[in-house]
Amino acid sequence: MFNWILKKILGSKNQRELKKLWPHVRHINEIEAEYQKLGDEQLQAKTAEFKKRIADGEPLDGILPEAFATVKNACRRMVGKEWSVRGHPYKWDMIPFDVQLLGGIVLHKGRIAEMATGEGKTLVATLPLYLNALSGKNVHLVTVNDYLAARDSEWMGEIYKFLGLTVGCIQHDQIPPVRRQQYACDITYGTNAEFGFDYLRDNGMATSAETQVQRGHFYAIVDEVDSILIDEARTPLIISGPSTVTTQAFDRYKPQVAELVRAQTMLCNRVVTQAKQLLDGRNGETETGKQLDREDEAGRLLYQTKLGMPKNKQLLKLMEEPEVRKLIDSAELGLLADSSKKELLELKEQLFFTIDEKQHDADLTEKGRKFLNPNDPDAFVIPDLVTALQDLDALGLAEGEKEQRREQIQQAFDERSERIHNIAQLLRAFCLYEKDVEYVVQDNKVIIVDEFTGRLMPGRRWSDGLHQAVEAKEGVAVERETQTLATITIQNYFRLYEKLAGMTGTAETEAAEFENIYKLQVLVVPTNKPCVRADANDVVYKTRREKYNAIIKEIEERHRKGQPLLVGTVSVDASEVLSRMLKRTSIPHNVLNAKYHQQEAEIVARAGQRSAVTIATNMAGRGTDIKLGPGVPDVGGLHVIGSERHEARRIDRQLRGRCARQGDPGSSRFYVSLEDDLMRLFASGRIGSIMEKLGMKEGEQLEHKWLNRSIETAQRRVEEHNFSIRKRTLEFDDVMNKQREVVYGFRNDIINGDNPREAIFDIIEEVVEARVAEFCTEGKLPEEWDLNALLKWVNFAFPIRLSREDLEHKSANEIRQLILDKVRRAYEAKAAHEQLDALKAIERLIVLNALDRLWQEHLYNMDQLRNGISLRAYAQRDPLIEYKAEAFTMFEEMMSNVKGEIAANVFRSASSLAAFENFLRNLPTAFSGPDLDAGAAFSGTKTPPQGSGGSDVVDEAIKDVGTPVRRDTPKVGRNEPCPCGSGKKYKNCCGKNA
Ligand code: ADP
Ligand code: MG
């Protein structure tokens, strides 16, 4: 009821919004009617005219009606024109419908246009893309795969070209210069991953403006926006490299955990058998009371099994009975009540460990700990850190000793936490992750199967050690932990755009998330022709087997009539089962698993032909239009069968939307069984009782609108749960995001700024000021200042040879000034021996090297922090708050280290050894003392070797520093004078070995 009211209100808000937009559509059409009188060149001249008006300050909104009319008119002129799209001949036949103009306005306004499948969203996007590209800034269209990016840019490209704009397309295998060309176009098509990775490479890795490929983030339209901003948003984009750290812990614990799991399996089998005996024997009891006791006891035992081994085969079999599920539910409810805490604990303690399937958690019991380590079960108990630290405080130890003890406690805590974490991950791997469902093993590798699309995701890894745990379980090589080199979440990538818009057939159910996370409003655009699809009620079966049989029966019946069928599955596994069953009936069919986008698009495009049967996981062929073949409308159009309800209603709507496009006939029906995961985990109790009310017997099917509703309630609950997980991930990433903004901003200033030296001197100033403040402590008398320490640092970092007398009888401020002046003069002396451009390149490198090295180290530490932080919950602390605080401290430390390193390296780098030696020769007072020698200085080594710089040291140093320095030094012709200033030709001097 409440929902119905809500819908009414929302619905009418949608109406109101649309009502405001219709007059614009009429206006566009009026203008377009006028344009029909123009010659081709006159229409084409509009582009230049609009660009000029925009450059003169006219807002894009003001140009919208004319720009949209121009695109529409261009489409009209192109009708009948032929070209090839992805290798297939194509003939243009589209002029935007009014609802498409409407959709275009919604997109221009930076919103999400919900437009059903087949409404022509590809064409809709061209309107706002053209308009926004007139600004001269690069606009992006984001697709779900490379094939669609290429298809759509070729398909729509002719409109842009006709109007004098350029279009580019990013593909996975392109090299940076090619990418740069694509971004240089007015409009660029590509996938979210390519756009995101290019951003990371540009901002986190490129070392010069010339190697950056993107031209900013002005406007993007995301096609299939729900798939990208919601489904894909669950895993961040990561560029990684092998890490220096390895984890052998999983291999070490695996045999023990395998034993433990075996023991638990045996235990659970016993328990479940006992429960079954109780149930079987209950009818022998004459007293009702005793019967009930037996049932209660059985319920408890089954619940215990569920705690210990949720996927126990016998248990799952018994749970097919709604009555049994009710027993378990009521046992659970009873045990979760406060009054039975002790009982629940006893139940758990009889097990070796407990598994929470919904939360994907595993927990060792005392019994399990003893099993793993009979001599020291405490090895698997998280120590109470808070109490331990309090106890330590109470001891009243001296500060130094206390600090030491504190570290010991912390270390023991960390070690133990890690061990427990590893064991828990192994338990999850053994008990919750099934081979060929959650993952497959191929070529000695564990490859994740995407739960949404059923496709394999090579290269992606579960985080937090889970992947290694599964690898250990399967006995394949446990891969080295990889280290993040650069990372961003999809959410934060898309937040970079000044204006973001999206389109999809299914956004409404996720409107709250779009609004909340991306500030995107959803507007539902009406279809061009009324939709006449007939959606049947779900049919519910007790078992999967019965369900599949019914599906095959329906396929056979409809196939006989010649009606085409599209069968959607939620996993590769299910699509293969159905395919095997269909083979027995010898009905020809196609199976698609979202692996080969182009091929699949071509197969799906034919799914509307007479008698075609297509089985597809829900992402396969998405974005491809299914047109009906001749005669098909007469047999009811395309019929869609859902073989399982998905976790998210959206995905089900998406599947239904594959048929009945543009007013075609079509129908859909979902099949559900109580063994489906969704039902098992989230809907069993409610459905069970409805089924009982409706009176369901063995082998029967049920169909009732109550069932639809409670299934949807279950879906809604899962959706909310998943949303909260994504939100949580994002809260964590927000911390990183701010840091990334600072670092990338800094990098870009250095790369793009014309005066890196100024930035360096700002840093030196900061560092010097901090050091002076450190040693010449405010509030202390000048006699107490640690001038020697200051001197040691200054003379180590800079070739300025200060003496104690220089510093005495001066204020802190004067000391600071003196050091800075001297450093500045020394630097000028150094600069005199360098070519200006070469020096700039060096200066940039000094900053980038320090920043990149320490930032990557920081990313590694942040990974570690993030992985370990959930353990803090054991110590009753909020992981997010802890994470934020520690991340902040770590970041501050990192930035201060970066600055320190930059200051220290300023005088230790040169474009060539000769320039460096020249500089040394001309600085009589510097760099000849015991603190520094040429070799070490040149290499930028932090702790220079003692003694004179032997030639091997120098050679080492060149090897050390050679590559990075050469990398960005401007190219010098072999016959040009050497930039080191030696006066010799480059090939005879520093370029000798180049
Ligand atoms: P969507 O992405 O909304 O599912 P597509 O962009 O794939 O839809 O287009 C679906 C089909 O509709 C395509 O075959 C396209 O040629 C056709 N189409 C789109 N707009 C028009 C139009 N204005 N006139 C005629 N056909 C159109
Ligand atoms: Mg599309």
Side-chain angles (χ1 to χ4, degrees), residues 60-338:
L60 289 177
D61 288 353
I63 298 200
L64 184 143
E66 292 160 84
F68 277 31
T70 303
V71 174
K72 178 167 174 181
N73 193 249
C75 291
R76 190 184 297 285
R77 283 163 204 260
M78 283 175 19
V79 171
K81 195 173 165 188
E82 293 179 38
W83 64 90
S84 117
V85 175
R86 292 281 82 194
H88 299 288
Y90 172 77
K91 190 164 168 186
W92 185 265
D93 63 348
M94 297 193 274
I95 302 166
F97 303 124
D98 287 354
V99 286
Q100 290 181 307
L101 298 176
L102 194 70
I105 302 175
V106 174
L107 294 178
H108 170 71
K109 288 187 174 300
R111 296 186 178 172
I112 291 178
E114 176 172 303
M115 298 179 76
T117 311
E119 285 295 301
K121 292 183 283 290
T122 323
L123 179 63
V124 173
T126 60
L127 300 151
L129 286 174
Y130 171 74
L131 172 60
N132 285 272
L134 291 170
S135 65
K137 295 175 194 161
N138 182 216
V139 298
H140 297 169
L141 189 121
V142 185
T143 61
V144 285
N145 61 50
D146 266 8
Y147 162 73
L148 288 175
R151 183 198 73 176
D152 293 357
S153 64
E154 288 171 24
W155 188 15
M156 298 296 134
E158 292 300 310
I159 307 178
Y160 309 126
K161 284 185 214 156
F162 181 84
L163 291 172
L165 292 187
T166 51
V167 57
C169 172
I170 306 290
Q171 296 281 294
H172 182 67
D173 52 8
Q174 285 167 345
I175 53 169
V178 177
R179 287 170 184 264
R180 198 175 157 82
Q181 280 162 14
Q182 310 308 309
Y183 286 113
C185 296
D186 295 301
I187 298 157
T188 310
Y189 285 71
T191 64
N192 61 313
E194 295 305 316
F195 282 125
F197 284 136
D198 280 340
Y199 168 75
L200 289 176
R201 278 188 289 257
D202 274 4
N203 292 280
M205 295 172 170
T207 49
S208 68
E210 296 75 45
T211 51
Q212 293 182 313
V213 297
Q214 292 188 332
R215 279 200 293 140
H217 300 88
F218 170 54
Y219 177 53
I221 299 177
V222 183
D223 192 10
E224 307 286 3
V225 63
D226 56 321
S227 169
I228 293 177
L229 296 194
I230 291 182
D231 299 337
E232 299 251 330
R234 291 173 315 157
T235 34
L237 299 171
I238 297 174
I239 297 180
S240 55
S243 129
T244 36
V245 198
T246 49
T247 38
Q248 278 123 14
F250 292 106
D251 278 337
R252 188 161 75 236
Y253 293 124
K254 179 203 158 178
Q256 280 169 286
V257 172
E259 275 303 316
L260 185 70
V261 171
R262 207 165 309 141
Q264 176 107 327
T265 308
M266 271 155 59
L267 175 68
C268 285
N269 281 340
R270 272 203 308 278
V271 172
V272 86
T273 311
Q274 202 182 337
K276 195 159 175 297
Q277 281 163 355
L278 279 170
L279 287 177
D280 290 345
R282 85 193 121 155
N283 293 333
E285 292 290 350
T286 42
E287 284 169 51
T288 338
K290 283 200 174 155
Q291 255 184 31
L292 288 181
D293 283 351
R294 271 176 172 265
E295 287 188 352
D296 280 355
E297 182 54 21
R300 234 194 323 272
L301 292 176
L302 289 172
Y303 177 62
Q304 190 178 30
T305 315
K306 195 173 151 196
L307 280 176
M309 211 33 79
K311 298 207 164 169
N312 178 290
K313 291 271 154 24
Q314 273 196 75
L315 174 71
L316 293 182
K317 187 97 193 24
L318 283 170
M319 279 175 72
E320 281 172 15
E321 300 285 341
E323 193 207 355
V324 171
R325 274 199 305 276
K326 255 177 76 182
L327 283 179
I328 300 177
D329 286 348
S330 66
E332 174 170 8
L333 221 64
L335 285 164
L336 289 179
D338 264 353

Side-chain angles (χ1 to χ4, degrees), residues 833-851:
H833 298 277
E834 295 277 6
Q835 209 196 34
L836 187 63
D837 278 349
L839 186 61
K840 267 191 194 168
I842 290 288
E843 287 165 346
R844 290 203 175 95
L845 263 186
I846 289 171
V847 177
L848 294 185
N849 281 346
L851 187 59

Side-chain angles (χ1 to χ4, degrees), residues 279-543:
L279 287 177
D280 290 345
R282 85 193 121 155
N283 293 333
E285 292 290 350
T286 42
E287 284 169 51
T288 338
K290 283 200 174 155
Q291 255 184 31
L292 288 181
D293 283 351
R294 271 176 172 265
E295 287 188 352
D296 280 355
E297 182 54 21
R300 234 194 323 272
L301 292 176
L302 289 172
Y303 177 62
Q304 190 178 30
T305 315
K306 195 173 151 196
L307 280 176
M309 211 33 79
K311 298 207 164 169
N312 178 290
K313 291 271 154 24
Q314 273 196 75
L315 174 71
L316 293 182
K317 187 97 193 24
L318 283 170
M319 279 175 72
E320 281 172 15
E321 300 285 341
E323 193 207 355
V324 171
R325 274 199 305 276
K326 255 177 76 182
L327 283 179
I328 300 177
D329 286 348
S330 66
E332 174 170 8
L333 221 64
L335 285 164
L336 289 179
D338 264 353
S339 53
S340 17
K341 262 195 174 141
K342 221 178 113 210
E343 213 179 330
L344 179 62
L345 193 70
E346 272 170 25
L347 215 60
K348 286 187 175 174
E349 287 299 329
Q350 288 161 7
L351 298 164
F352 293 97
F353 55 88
T354 58
I355 296 268
D356 183 335
E357 199 180 0
K358 279 185 205 170
Q359 304 293 333
H360 274 222
D361 258 349
D363 221 350
L364 279 176
T365 60
E366 178 67 23
K367 189 165 162 184
R369 288 194 283 269
K370 280 216 183 93
F371 184 96
L372 287 177
N373 198 341
N375 301 326
D376 180 18
D378 279 353
F380 302 100
V381 184
I382 297 250
D384 179 352
L385 187 63
V386 181
T387 319
L389 291 178
Q390 275 166 359
D391 289 352
L392 180 65
D393 281 343
L395 285 180
L397 297 171
E399 215 26 73
E401 168 146 22
K402 197 164 131 189
E403 190 51 41
Q404 209 180 349
R405 292 277 284 274
R406 186 177 300 147
E407 261 176 37
Q408 279 169 358
I409 293 175
Q410 182 71 46
Q411 201 183 341
F413 176 82
D414 289 347
E415 270 168 27
R416 228 180 251 196
S417 304
E418 194 183 326
R419 186 168 353 153
I420 293 167
H421 181 68
N422 290 343
I423 301 258
Q425 293 298 44
L426 279 166
L427 286 174
R428 288 171 64 193
F430 271 100
C431 302
L432 292 175
Y433 286 74
E434 266 182 88
K435 192 166 141 185
D436 292 329
V437 179
E438 276 82 15
Y439 63 93
V440 296
V441 178
Q442 270 179 11
D443 305 330
N444 210 19
K445 277 196 167 63
V446 168
I447 303 175
I448 301 179
V449 175
D450 184 282
E451 66 174 292
F452 274 79
T453 64
R455 79 187 139 181
L456 300 184
M457 304 206 294
R460 294 231 196 160
R461 295 173 64 79
W462 286 302
S463 58
D464 218 5
L466 178 63
H467 211 96
Q468 284 90 339
V470 176
E471 284 167 338
K473 166 188 163 192
E474 290 298 337
V476 306
V478 176
E479 291 209 4
R480 272 212 313 180
E481 187 127 27
T482 51
Q483 157 172 9
T484 306
L485 302 180
T487 173
I488 190 167
T489 55
I490 304 273
Q491 288 94 332
N492 280 323
Y493 173 72
F494 282 106
R495 282 170 172 180
L496 290 170
Y497 285 89
E498 266 174 62
K499 189 164 73 172
L500 184 62
M503 49 192 198
T504 173
T506 45
E508 221 187 344
T509 48
E510 252 74 18
E513 180 160 353
F514 285 126
E515 172 89 52
N516 204 311
I517 307 276
Y518 299 96
K519 307 269 169 289
L520 280 171
Q521 280 173 21
V522 175
L523 216 66
V524 181
V525 177
T527 51
N528 185 40
K529 292 184 185 156
C531 175
V532 298
R533 188 184 62 229
D535 295 328
N537 281 333
D538 294 2
V539 274
V540 182
Y541 292 85
K542 267 168 97 173
T543 64

